[in-house]
């Protein structure tokens, strides 16, 4: 299998001086193409920080990162381009833009990537229909349930055909039925789009969906 | 999505309206204060300019025709009439004094102007259909016991009727005509009368005047003529421009120092407030900015999105403030003259301050990692000291 993401010696500290906390401590990690990897561990062990580093939404203090065979220059490279072209993010709290409809929330990701408007609209409708929200296209986040918002969030993450989707506790705010539905959807989408998926979760019941599980403790990977 | 930023503004319309309103109020206040001072300057100058005289002579030590106390004995000034520096026969006696005429039983603020109708110092005719000029006295052969026609012409904006009686000092004078408005500073109306009448009602019937005004000979420069007379004892002489400068300094700039100070303070406060409003508004969008960056938006995309909003809010606020200032100026109880160039400068500076503070706030937010931004931890110690700043998102 080819590695889609490789992190070597990734380290991240928060705070300064005596108050400094090492959130990620020299972590080496490899994610292969089309894998569904789950990162698990206790609260505060550094799971979210790790996928944030891997997904280029947080800059490490030390370490090297390679995405899709490309060495990431963490001090000089335009990371927004990497995020735009290769990465999709799904957040625990959805983080949809409250003033946009479901359709517009997906379209905005493509607007950022300078996709033609009509093409973006067609693809957004297609994605939202695929996640079962064809009847909610023009609803705003405040008019949708948690499960619906999470599905919009997935559609948005898929908008620019990323190589990897990172999902941070995607089922944390969903009931068990919604969680199961979402995991089924993720599995289907992963197959359809040939996408690598990395999920951070506490939810033991989701383990059976994973190709591989990475356990973390105190900022370190203990089992991979 | 071109309307992306508009949808955001529509969603946060209460904040947008309040921000625009804040800018509107500040802009209109700044323009109004400037307009009041500008109005005073215009009013301070219009009478002096209307006389047509370019040499203004006052008593030695008075500091200028309109500045200090000045009383001249006109007989002593008569020899100046023969001086070749002055246009022949142009030397004109003038009384210009503040008074409190009783009009319809009420003490009112006004300025009494006593002059000779065939000389410089006041209007030569009344407005069409608005009465007649006052009768002139026999000034040259005047003896204090001679009867004088107690007639005046008044500023059209005083609201007086032809034939109405007003009291100045102890004398009742009759309004015989109306003249076009030449209000002095702070809408102080002028009451014009024969110089003998002014001497009678204001100076206890003594043949004195406050100043003599004249026209420099055509082949002489007023500056040199004024300097020449100023060098002589018992008089001070100024050109019209010097007189205008004196009036503005004495009647506008000096008394309005507090207003000017207030205006400067308002500028500073306005700048800070507008800046703060914009800055805080931007910081409140931190989470949204973080999300946009996390889904791939470049710094320039986010900055453009934010600056479009700031620019639109500024334009709306500045434009309404601009219009409101003119409406308030028209409705103000005193003469307010808003200067268009100044207004454009104020509008321009306000726009730059708004956009500048918006830019600084947006820059602060977009320079951090998306995760830090959407967690809203920008103002925490974590951001200030840790190397989480994403210098790599330069695009």
């Amino acid at each position: 299998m080819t590695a889609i993401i490789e992190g070597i010696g990734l380290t991240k500290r928060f705070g300064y001086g005596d108050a400094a906390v090492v959130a990620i401590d020299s972590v080496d990690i490899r994610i292969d193409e089309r894998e569904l990897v789950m990162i698990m561990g206790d609260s505060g062990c550094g799971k979210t920080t790790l996928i944030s580093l891997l997904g280029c939404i947080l800059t490490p203090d030390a370490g090297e990162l390679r995405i899709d065979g490309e060495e990431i220059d963490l001090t000089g490279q335009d990371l927004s381009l990497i995020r735009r072209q290769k990465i999709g993010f799904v957040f625990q709290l959805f983080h949809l833009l409250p003033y946009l409809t479901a359709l517009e929330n997906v379209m905005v990701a493509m607007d950022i990537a300078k996709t033609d408007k009509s093409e973006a609209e067609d693809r957004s409708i297609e994605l939202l229909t695929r996640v079962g929200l064809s009847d909610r296209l023009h609803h705003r986040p405040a008019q949708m349930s948690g499960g619906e918002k999470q599905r919009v969030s997935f559609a948005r993450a898929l908008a620019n055909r990323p190589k990897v989707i990172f999902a941070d506790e995607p089922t944390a705010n969903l009931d068990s039925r919604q969680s199961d539905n979402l995991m089924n959807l993720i599995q289907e989408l992963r197959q359809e789009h040939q996408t690598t998926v990395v999920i951070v979760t506490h939810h033991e019941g989701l383990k059976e969906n994973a190709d591989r599980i990475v356990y973390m403790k105190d900022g370190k990977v203990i089992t991979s | 999505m071109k309307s992306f930023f508009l949808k955001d503004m529509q969603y946060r319309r209460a904040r947008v309206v309040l921000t625009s309103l804040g800018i509107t109020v500040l802009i209109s206040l700044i323009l109004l204060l400037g307009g009041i001072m500008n109005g005073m300057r215009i009013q301070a100058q219009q009478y002096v300019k209307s006389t047509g005289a370019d040499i203004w002579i006052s008593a030695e030590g008075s500091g200028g025709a309109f500045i200090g106390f000045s009383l001249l004995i006109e007989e002593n000034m008569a020899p100046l009439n023969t001086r070749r520096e002055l246009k022949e026969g142009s030397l004109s006696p003038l009384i210009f004094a503040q008074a409190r005429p009783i009009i319809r039983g009420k003490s009112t603020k006004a300025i009494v102007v006593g002059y000779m109708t065939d000389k410089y110092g006041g209007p030569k005719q009344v407005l069409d259909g608005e009465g007649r000029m006052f009768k002139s006295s026999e000034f040259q052969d005047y003896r204090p016991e001679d009867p004088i026609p107690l007639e005046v012409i008044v500023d059209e904006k005083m609201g007086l009727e032809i034939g109405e009686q007003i009291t100045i000092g102890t004398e009742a004078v009759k309004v015989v005509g109306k003249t076009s408005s030449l209000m002095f500073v702070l809408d102080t109306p002028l009451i014009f009368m024969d110089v003998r009448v002014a001497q009678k009602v204001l100076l206890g019937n003594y043949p004195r005047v406050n100043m003599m005004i004249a026209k420099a000979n055509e082949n002489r420069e007023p500056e040199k003529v004024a300097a020449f007379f100023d060098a002589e004892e018992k008089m001070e002489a100024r050109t019209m421009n010097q007189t205008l400068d004196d009036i503005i300094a004495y009647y506008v700039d000096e008394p309005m120092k507090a207003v000017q100070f207030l205006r400067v303070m308002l500028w500073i406060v306005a700048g800070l407030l507008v800046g703060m409003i914009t800055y805080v508004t931007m910081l409140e969008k931190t989470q949204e900015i973080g999300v946009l960056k996390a889904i791939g938006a470049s710094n320039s995309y986010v900055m453009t999105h934010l600056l479009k909003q700031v620019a639109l809010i500024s334009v709306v606020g500045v434009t309404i403030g601009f219009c409101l200032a003119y409406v308030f100026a028209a409705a103000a109880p005193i003469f307010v003259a808003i200067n268009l160039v100044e207004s454009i400068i104020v509008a321009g500076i306000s726009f730059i301050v708004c956009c500048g503070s918006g830019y600084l706030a947006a820059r602060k937010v977009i320079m951090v990692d998306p995760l830090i931004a959407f967690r809203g931890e920008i103002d925490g110690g974590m951001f200030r000291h840790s190397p989480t700043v994403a210098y790599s998102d330069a695009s």
Side-chain angles (χ1 to χ4, degrees), chain A residues 83-177:
Chain A
R83 291 193 287 265
R84 196 155 62 232
Q85 293 179 339
K86 302 199 169 170
I87 289 160
F89 250 100
V90 177
F91 304 101
Q92 180 178 350
L93 296 173
F94 326 121
H95 290 314
L96 300 176
L97 299 176
Y99 48 87
L100 298 182
T101 62
L103 179 64
E104 290 163 342
N105 260 292
V106 181
M107 281 175 73
V108 78
M110 286 184 266
D111 184 58
I112 286 166
K114 297 186 170 64
T115 308
D116 174 70
K117 192 186 170 187
S118 62
E119 187 189 332
E121 189 168 357
D122 292 346
R123 179 161 166 75
S124 299
I125 293 170
E126 184 187 313
L127 284 168
L128 285 167
T129 304
R130 179 62 191 86
V131 298
L133 292 173
S134 57
D135 57 340
R136 313 292 273 173
L137 296 179
H138 303 294
H139 286 66
R140 284 195 178 153
Q143 299 166 310
M144 290 188 278
S145 69
E148 287 171 333
K149 282 189 258 193
Q150 198 57 290
R151 280 185 280 162
V152 175
S153 187
F154 258 98
R156 181 178 68 184
L158 286 165
N160 291 321
R161 298 181 174 87
K163 297 271 184 186
V164 189
I165 287 182
F166 291 97
D168 185 12
E169 302 278 9
T171 59
N173 290 295
L174 308 180
D175 60 31
S176 57
R177 191 177 59 83

Side-chain angles (χ1 to χ4, degrees), chain B residues 198-251:
Chain B
Q199 287 170 339
K200 171 91 172 165
V201 299
L202 289 179
L203 299 177
N205 215 13
Y206 285 99
R208 304 281 193 274
V209 291
N210 294 122
M211 59 194 94
M212 301 293 288
I213 59 177
K215 188 93 176 154
N217 213 332
E218 279 172 10
N219 55 0
R220 305 284 174 136
E221 290 176 27
E223 290 76 15
K224 288 185 177 167
V225 174
F228 176 76
F229 286 125
D230 197 46
E232 292 193 8
E233 284 185 14
K234 296 182 181 174
M235 71 176 83
E236 290 194 12
R238 303 274 190 277
T239 62
M240 185 179 74
N241 287 338
Q242 289 168 335
T243 303
L244 291 174
D245 290 345
D246 287 348
I247 291 180
I248 287 170
Y250 189 74
Y251 286 94

Side-chain angles (χ1 to χ4, degrees), chain B residues 264-279:
Chain B
V264 172
M265 292 304 291
L266 195 64
W267 260 107
I268 295 169
V269 170
L272 285 174
L273 274 180
V274 167
M276 278 162 57
I277 292 169
T278 320
Y279 192 81

Side-chain angles (χ1 to χ4, degrees), chain A residues 12-16 48-49 52 55-61 73-81 83-84 87 89 91 93-100 104-105 107-109 111-112 114 117 140 142 156 160, chain B residues 1-5 7-13 285 287-301 305 309 369-372 374-375 377 381-382 385-395:
Chain A
K12 182 67 190 175
R13 280 182 291 274
F14 288 122
Y16 196 70
T48 298
T49 306
S52 299
C56 296
I57 62 169
L58 188 64
T59 312
D61 295 323
D73 176 359
L74 294 164
T75 55
Q77 194 171 348
D78 178 8
L79 294 182
S80 70
L81 195 66
R83 291 193 287 265
R84 196 155 62 232
I87 289 160
F89 250 100
F91 304 101
L93 296 173
F94 326 121
H95 290 314
L96 300 176
L97 299 176
Y99 48 87
L100 298 182
E104 290 163 342
N105 260 292
M107 281 175 73
V108 78
D111 184 58
I112 286 166
K114 297 186 170 64
K117 192 186 170 187
R140 284 195 178 153
R156 181 178 68 184
N160 291 321
Chain B
M1 271 190 295
K2 284 177 185 167
S3 57
F4 177 28
F5 77 101
K7 286 176 187 282
D8 186 4
M9 291 174 78
Q10 193 182 4
Y11 182 76
R12 294 183 170 91
R13 54 189 169 274
K285 296 166 79 70
Q287 194 182 55
E288 178 191 321
I289 292 167
V291 173
L292 283 172
K293 286 191 67 176
I295 63 173
S298 64
N299 286 348
S300 60
Y301 181 93
H305 169 72
Q309 295 187 2
D369 283 331
L371 182 75
I372 304 298
F374 72 68
R375 278 182 173 177
E377 291 168 348
M382 181 198 303
H385 302 296
S386 78
T388 53
V389 176
Y391 354 85
S392 47
D393 276 5
S395 77

Side-chain angles (χ1 to χ4, degrees), chain B residues 15-278:
Chain B
R15 175 168 286 280
V16 168
V17 169
L18 284 174
T19 309
S20 297
L21 205 62
I23 296 169
T24 296
V25 170
L26 290 167
I27 293 291
S28 52
L29 273 176
I30 289 173
L31 290 180
L32 273 178
L33 276 181
I36 289 170
M37 294 196 65
N38 200 32
M40 288 173 74
R41 282 202 179 88
I42 290 170
Q43 289 189 323
Q45 297 178 62
Q46 58 190 7
Y47 164 69
V48 172
K49 284 181 176 171
S50 76
T51 62
D54 54 18
I55 302 293
W56 295 71
I57 298 167
S58 58
E60 182 70 40
S62 63
F66 292 88
I67 309 303
F69 183 72
S70 169
L71 271 185
L72 294 168
I73 301 169
E74 65 233 44
E75 285 178 356
N76 294 350
M77 296 290 120
L80 294 180
N81 252 326
T82 59
R83 301 288 281 268
R84 63 176 185 273
E85 287 82 7
L86 299 179
K87 186 177 172 186
E88 192 179 348
S90 70
L91 193 68
S92 314
L94 185 69
I95 288 175
F96 186 96
Q98 292 197 27
R100 298 292 301 184
I102 309 292
I103 299 173
R104 294 168 190 161
K106 280 176 70 176
S107 173
T108 312
K109 183 179 70 170
I111 285 172
V112 164
V113 181
Y115 70 108
M116 296 173 70
T117 49
D118 57 344
K119 300 274 187 178
Y120 295 109
K124 300 282 184 276
Q125 59 191 33
V126 293
L127 292 167
D128 280 349
E130 295 288 358
R132 59 172 174 80
M133 285 297 288
F134 52 78
K135 286 177 193 157
S136 298
S137 64
E138 295 300 320
F139 182 77
Q140 300 298 340
D141 302 323
Y142 176 73
R143 290 169 303 171
E145 61 274 22
D146 286 350
I148 50 169
L150 290 168
E151 295 176 346
V152 297
I153 58 172
V154 296
D155 188 299
E156 59 176 332
K157 290 188 177 164
M158 284 185 81
L160 290 168
E161 300 299 328
I162 308 291
E164 203 167 340
Q165 295 266 345
I166 60 174
T167 306
I168 303 174
T170 56
E171 302 288 342
V173 295
K174 184 180 171 187
V175 176
V176 295
K178 293 183 190 177
T179 180
S180 52
S181 185
L182 282 172
M183 292 275 185
F184 199 61
V185 178
L186 291 175
D187 281 352
T188 311
L190 302 182
I191 300 175
F192 295 96
M193 60 190 73
D194 184 86
V195 72
R196 298 299 326 161
V197 179
Q199 287 170 339
K200 171 91 172 165
V201 299
L202 289 179
L203 299 177
N205 215 13
Y206 285 99
R208 304 281 193 274
V209 291
N210 294 122
M211 59 194 94
M212 301 293 288
I213 59 177
K215 188 93 176 154
N217 213 332
E218 279 172 10
N219 55 0
R220 305 284 174 136
E221 290 176 27
E223 290 76 15
K224 288 185 177 167
V225 174
F228 176 76
F229 286 125
D230 197 46
E232 292 193 8
E233 284 185 14
K234 296 182 181 174
M235 71 176 83
E236 290 194 12
R238 303 274 190 277
T239 62
M240 185 179 74
N241 287 338
Q242 289 168 335
T243 303
L244 291 174
D245 290 345
D246 287 348
I247 291 180
I248 287 170
Y250 189 74
Y251 286 94
V252 182
D253 291 345
E254 283 288 326
M256 294 301 278
K257 262 184 183 166
V259 176
Q260 187 70 302
F261 175 72
L262 193 69
R263 195 162 168 242
V264 172
M265 292 304 291
L266 195 64
W267 260 107
I268 295 169
V269 170
L272 285 174
L273 274 180
V274 167
M276 278 162 57
I277 292 169
T278 320

